[in-house]
Amino acid sequence: QVQLVESGGGLVQPGGSLRLSCEASGISFTFYNMRWYRQPPEKQREWVASIRTGGSTNYADSIKGRFTISRDNAKNMVYLQMNSLKPEDTAVYYCRAGPPNEYWGQGTQVTVSS
């Protein structure tokens, strides 16, 4: 059974930091590209960052320079380090594995507010 479990969300003040984690099980993690997405309130889900099997990364313009995606293949983990958080970063954050098959986690809430 494939599972992606996100954690690390919470309430943070503007300018603060959070580190999201996503633990994968049931897949050969090293063969999967991993991505983070987010869905702000009343908006569509949007892509945030990607990390390929070889470690190369890509970022959405809205978070470039503030967020860093990384992975630990030994632990089947992918991370999203989020710095200089803004209220507009408030969203449910999801991790996604794939291809060849596509899997999603259940999401973790990030709220940036004073």
Side-chain angles (χ1 to χ4, degrees):
Q1 181 182 0
V2 178
Q3 277 194 309
L4 299 177
V5 180
E6 301 96 335
S7 61
L11 173 64
V12 62
Q13 292 187 342
S17 298
L18 281 175
R19 187 195 195 204
L20 304 183
S21 300
C22 173
E23 183 175 13
S25 59
I27 60 173
S28 298
F29 183 78
T30 55
F31 294 106
Y32 277 81
N33 297 332
M34 298 297 296
R35 299 174 178 85
W36 285 97
Y37 286 75
R38 67 185 182 185
Q39 186 163 14
E42 301 181 1
K43 294 185 179 180
Q44 291 187 333
R45 192 173 298 188
E46 62 185 18
W47 168 74
V48 174
S50 299
I51 185 164
R52 295 180 180 81
T53 55
S56 60
T57 58
N58 291 94
Y59 297 94
D61 289 342
S62 60
I63 57 87
K64 199 173 292 183
R66 299 188 296 121
F67 292 9
T68 303
I69 188 172
S70 61
R71 64 190 296 161
D72 184 337
N73 289 336
K75 296 181 179 179
N76 287 6
M77 298 286 291
V78 62
Y79 306 99
L80 187 68
Q81 178 66 44
M82 306 187 295
N83 299 328
S84 302
L85 282 161
K86 305 175 181 180
E88 51 263 43
D89 295 318
T90 294
V92 179
Y93 283 72
Y94 300 88
C95 68
R96 176 186 178 189
N101 298 315
E102 301 287 344
Y103 303 102
W104 290 85
Q106 82 291 346
T108 186
Q109 176 70 47
V110 172
T111 302
V112 184
S113 175
S114 55

